[in-house]
Amino acid sequence: MSFADRDGVIWFDGELIPWRDAKVHVLTHTLHYGMGVFEGVRAYNAGEFGTSIFRLEEHTNRLFRSAHIMNMEMQWTKDQLNEAQKLVVRENNLDEAYLRPMVFYGSEGMGLRADNLKTHCIVGAWNWPSYMSPEAKEQGIKVRVSSYTRHHVNISMCKAKANGHYINSMLALKEALDCGCEEAILLDNEGYVAEGSGENIFVVRDGVIYTPELTSCLDGITRNTIFQLADDCGYQIFEKRITRDEVYIADEAFFTGTAAEVLPIREVDGRKIGEGHRGPITERLQTLYFKAVRGGLSDHTDWLAPVR
């Protein structure tokens, strides 16, 4: 089913409108130049808490940071966008959902110098099954190191979750898929591991967890969640530069992201990682993560924002 042809409602500039009427003009500035910011957010059935958005405030805060970095003026408060996200889940009668808040420039002007542009905002929510199969969450996925380099900090603004950045991700992912892999690892401009096409990456060696510094990587909210869960378990995580061959000889490796959740890596560039399937530390953190999003960790129920 086309994303343009669905039942339901979308929040658009402060109003709920029918899904099929949520349209913009073909000369919308962001469509032509890619200047926009967005979030990927998930709501889960969290048991006694009901349907709840996971780490809603953190996602909204990052959306506002992204807009600030890109010098896009926000017309709404954080509280308004938090309520809008709850509203679209409720009004679309979703038990679990993927949410997409996006801030973009309209069709008020054209060209790079356009100085009369207005920021607009939409929030959509729909049922989106798991990014990977249940088998992938247990056995892990095959990954290829991409020939495409991740953004340099002085070429683009790496801390913003910006629409145009994802051209880089799409190229890297398509290359990986064409090679029979399910995901890509992108290196930074100095040749060190940065992240996946839409995920942060962690590696485990001798019981210690490592992850790349956030130089050219997005400051992931699932990444932050794993830091907290690892600390709860007594694991140490070190942020450092990681070479691709360090990934090859890791005992375990996994991706994290709102869409990917916690996803084991079993193979990189034809090299088996560890035992070639999900390792024990990955499994423990993955289990805790899924408990957290469904309200099963009493110490972290503050991460849940019930929609009702």
Side-chain angles (χ1 to χ4, degrees):
M1 180 186 293
S2 165
F3 270 90
D5 185 21
R6 296 180 177 223
D7 296 327
V9 292
I10 288 176
W11 188 92
F12 195 150
D13 283 355
E15 297 182 29
L16 281 181
I17 64 174
W19 191 288
R20 293 178 180 85
D21 294 340
K23 299 177 181 179
V24 296
H25 196 272
V26 293
L27 294 182
T28 294
H29 199 274
T30 296
L31 177 63
H32 291 257
Y33 299 104
M35 178 63 81
V37 295
F38 72 97
E39 280 295 316
V41 191
R42 287 186 87 145
Y44 293 86
N45 184 331
E48 63 181 290
F49 300 96
T51 299
S52 299
I53 300 174
F54 188 65
R55 307 205 72 171
L56 171 61
E57 290 190 5
E58 289 86 347
H59 279 285
T60 300
N61 288 342
R62 188 172 65 180
L63 181 70
F64 273 72
R65 291 197 303 270
S66 294
H68 180 69
I69 290 169
M70 292 302 185
N71 207 25
M72 301 181 74
E73 183 178 353
M74 295 293 282
Q75 308 291 333
W76 309 270
T77 66
K78 292 179 181 179
D79 286 343
Q80 285 175 312
L81 287 188
N82 285 338
E83 288 306 312
Q85 289 171 82
K86 294 177 184 179
L87 182 64
V88 293
V89 176
R90 287 199 306 270
E91 292 300 313
N92 286 300
N93 297 311
L94 295 167
D95 184 48
E96 299 200 344
Y98 184 86
L99 294 92
R100 173 52 54 84
M102 185 180 74
V103 178
F104 63 98
Y105 283 134
S107 53
E108 299 82 12
M110 189 54 63
L112 298 180
R113 295 185 182 183
D115 58 3
N116 60 334
L117 297 171
K118 180 182 176 182
T119 51
H120 300 269
C121 184
I122 60 97
V123 182
W126 61 89
N127 181 37
W128 192 6
S130 178
Y131 183 66
M132 291 288 180
S133 68
E135 294 77 20
K137 291 180 181 179
E138 293 183 11
Q139 296 302 317
I141 61 171
K142 294 170 61 178
V143 177
R144 169 199 168 113
V145 173
S146 180
S147 67
Y148 295 98
T149 300
R150 207 41 151 178
H151 308 290
H152 181 268
V153 295
N154 206 33
I155 292 175
S156 187
M157 301 287 101
C158 299
K159 294 297 173 286
K161 191 172 175 70
N163 296 38
H165 288 174
Y166 284 79
I167 295 172
N168 182 238
S169 296
M170 292 176 70
L171 290 169
L173 181 57
K174 180 66 164 59
E175 179 184 63
L177 294 173
D178 288 346
C179 293
C181 295
E182 291 120 320
E183 253 300 346
I185 292 173
L186 290 98
L187 308 180
D188 65 22
N189 67 299
E190 295 184 74
Y192 294 96
V193 172
E195 56 189 346
S197 68
E199 310 89 4
N200 293 113
I201 186 172
F202 292 80
V203 297
V204 181
R205 192 168 184 197
D206 297 329
V208 179
I209 307 171
Y210 302 93
T211 194
E213 300 168 341
L214 287 177
T215 306
S216 59
C217 308
L218 188 69
D219 189 357
I221 291 164
T222 309
R223 177 185 188 272
N224 176 273
T225 302
I226 291 300
F227 268 73
Q228 182 61 63
L229 296 177
D231 185 65
D232 294 345
C233 296
Y235 298 130
Q236 289 183 294
I237 298 182
F238 292 99
E239 297 176 274
K240 74 180 200 73
R241 285 180 162 184
I242 296 172
T243 61
R244 64 193 295 181
D245 49 5
E246 285 183 88
V247 182
Y248 295 160
I249 59 174
D251 299 324
E252 306 176 39
F254 59 93
F255 284 129
T256 63
T258 297
E261 299 167 313
V262 181
L263 185 61
I265 298 169
R266 75 170 188 270
E267 181 182 305
V268 177
D269 292 346
R271 282 90 162 170
K272 183 173 71 172
I273 304 301
E275 297 300 316
H277 54 75
R278 180 180 61 186
I281 292 177
T282 303
E283 181 176 5
R284 186 174 183 188
L285 293 174
Q286 184 188 61
T287 299
L288 289 173
Y289 180 79
F290 284 117
K291 283 185 177 180
V293 300
R294 299 191 184 281
L297 293 184
S298 58
D299 289 344
H300 298 301
T301 56
D302 59 314
W303 287 342
L304 304 173
V307 303
R308 289 179 172 83

